[in-house]
Amino acid sequence: MSAALTVRLPDLWLKRAMALKLLPVVENAAKVQNAWFVRCIRDADGREALFSQWLSGDTTMRVADDVQLLAATLELLILNGNPADIDHESAKAHLNAGGGHLKSGLLGTFGEFAGSLDHLLQARADYQELGGAEYVRHSLTEAVRTELLGSLEANTEKAGSIQILHGNSRDWVGSIAAGEKIIRQPKNDKLEKIAKGDFVQFVVPPTIGSRFMFGFELRMDDGLVSHPWEDAGSWLGTRLQVSGKATLLFDDPVQDKDAPFADVEGTFAARLVSVDAGLLSDFAGICDHFEPNVKTKGLVDGCPTSWPDGYAKSIALVTYVKRAADRAKRARNKNELEAKRSATFIGQSAVRVPEPSIPLLHQGSYLVV
């Protein structure tokens, strides 16, 4: 086979979760595993580990066959529901019969994939009975929120809330220690309401030790999967957080025309992850802000060129956080086993490995009206 165009899809794990959310009552559901998927795509050539690498964006996929056959496999699964009836040959036959419509969605954002899934589901007899497009939007919104926001919360340590400054004038600019004054206010659990067009600034509370922050925001309503990425989410950027000081996330320029403002109505969740400054290398694939002349590598290198700015970084951040939590867990488990071993043999001290710190998570929510 001649070399085919390849692509990296670091959001494939998310898209798989979205697709599986729309399955009919599945017979032989236990067969829907990584090994089954890769056999449908690569036949006997497939390895279970390869599909895991595709899911996480660790390796690229061939567009002309791998992505096509994955699209066909998902279509057959959603339409027919029995993995025992689906294999490499049936996936190829489905393509030859004009299938593979999910390919464009797989190469797009999760919102574009949601649109492809809705179009596919319309061919199922129970589409209207389930609730039609509203059911699809609600189900997929729930899946995306769980996979992105839920994963961040499950793999981080909770830190202080993001304080949101907003107004039709930036009266916080130039105020001495404005961030610290805001942070000392009592916590407000109510959803912050921001008028469309208002200037906005996020303030992150102080931490011990210098850290780097990364983050994104997402819509919390069903518009998350029905709006384009530019109106459904955004990459909030990166910022150095100096030890012991509250940090303003956005630059505050001299002129109002260059300042951040709220321009899309809806309910949004902002999430900022911070890591010890010494761990920056673990996040190098999304930290190009600090090295503008260095080409980013890893999860955001080789993604579809049609992806909007910040989309790949937002998805990659969730993957990095999962991996950071896994590294910490493995080290902790190893040290626990070593402690038990040394306790068994008198006179032998435990040989412990360093336990990486788990990233911190700052959260904030707001409503633009």
Side-chain angles (χ1 to χ4, degrees), residues 38 75 83 133 192 216 266 332:
V38 79
E75 288 176 18
E192 197 78 35
F216 60 83
R332 184 168 60 250

Side-chain angles (χ1 to χ4, degrees), residues 57-262:
D58 281 330
T59 192
T60 58
M61 302 181 71
R62 300 185 303 225
V63 176
D65 45 13
D66 294 334
V67 179
Q68 284 270 48
L69 285 164
L70 175 57
T73 300
L74 288 173
E75 288 176 18
L76 289 172
L77 190 60
I78 291 171
L79 294 175
N80 301 333
N82 190 352
D85 296 334
I86 306 169
D87 56 19
H88 184 66
E89 293 304 318
S90 63
K92 287 200 300 183
H94 183 68
L95 286 179
N96 292 334
H101 302 294
L102 288 182
K103 176 187 173 183
S104 61
L106 286 170
L107 295 175
T109 64
F110 63 69
E112 292 166 330
F113 187 56
S116 297
L117 287 171
D118 179 61
H119 182 73
L120 175 68
L121 209 68
Q122 291 174 28
R124 263 197 6 211
D126 61 349
Y127 179 73
Q128 294 301 335
E129 180 183 345
L130 289 172
E134 183 178 353
Y135 164 79
V136 175
R137 282 196 306 272
H138 184 71
S139 297
L140 297 182
T141 296
E142 182 182 17
V144 172
R145 280 204 305 257
T146 298
E147 294 297 323
L148 294 183
L149 301 185
S151 292
L152 283 184
E153 293 171 8
N155 293 290
T156 54
E157 291 185 356
K158 307 301 181 292
S161 299
I162 299 169
Q163 301 294 321
I164 303 173
L165 311 182
H166 60 93
N168 55 17
S169 66
R170 296 182 295 139
D171 53 12
W172 58 83
V173 177
S175 174
I176 297 177
E180 282 81 351
K181 289 197 297 182
I182 294 297
I183 291 303
R184 291 184 187 129
Q185 291 183 359
K187 181 179 177 181
N188 181 3
D189 291 325
K190 293 182 179 179
L191 188 67
E192 197 78 35
K193 290 186 178 180
I194 303 175
K196 184 177 180 180
D198 270 7
F199 298 109
V200 178
Q201 178 63 268
F202 290 162
V203 186
V204 182
T207 58
I208 298 174
S210 296
R211 305 181 68 84
F212 282 103
M213 294 187 299
F214 319 83
F216 60 83
E217 59 184 349
L218 288 178
R219 292 185 73 100
M220 294 298 285
D221 52 44
D222 286 356
L224 175 61
V225 297
S226 60
H227 285 64
W229 168 253
E230 291 80 2
D231 293 339
S234 67
W235 176 249
L236 295 174
T238 55
R239 178 70 71 180
L240 173 64
Q241 188 176 17
V242 179
S243 177
K245 292 185 176 293
T247 305
L248 303 181
L249 180 62
F250 305 123
D251 290 331
D252 266 321
V254 174
Q255 300 185 57
D256 283 351
K257 67 180 182 65
D258 300 319
F261 66 95

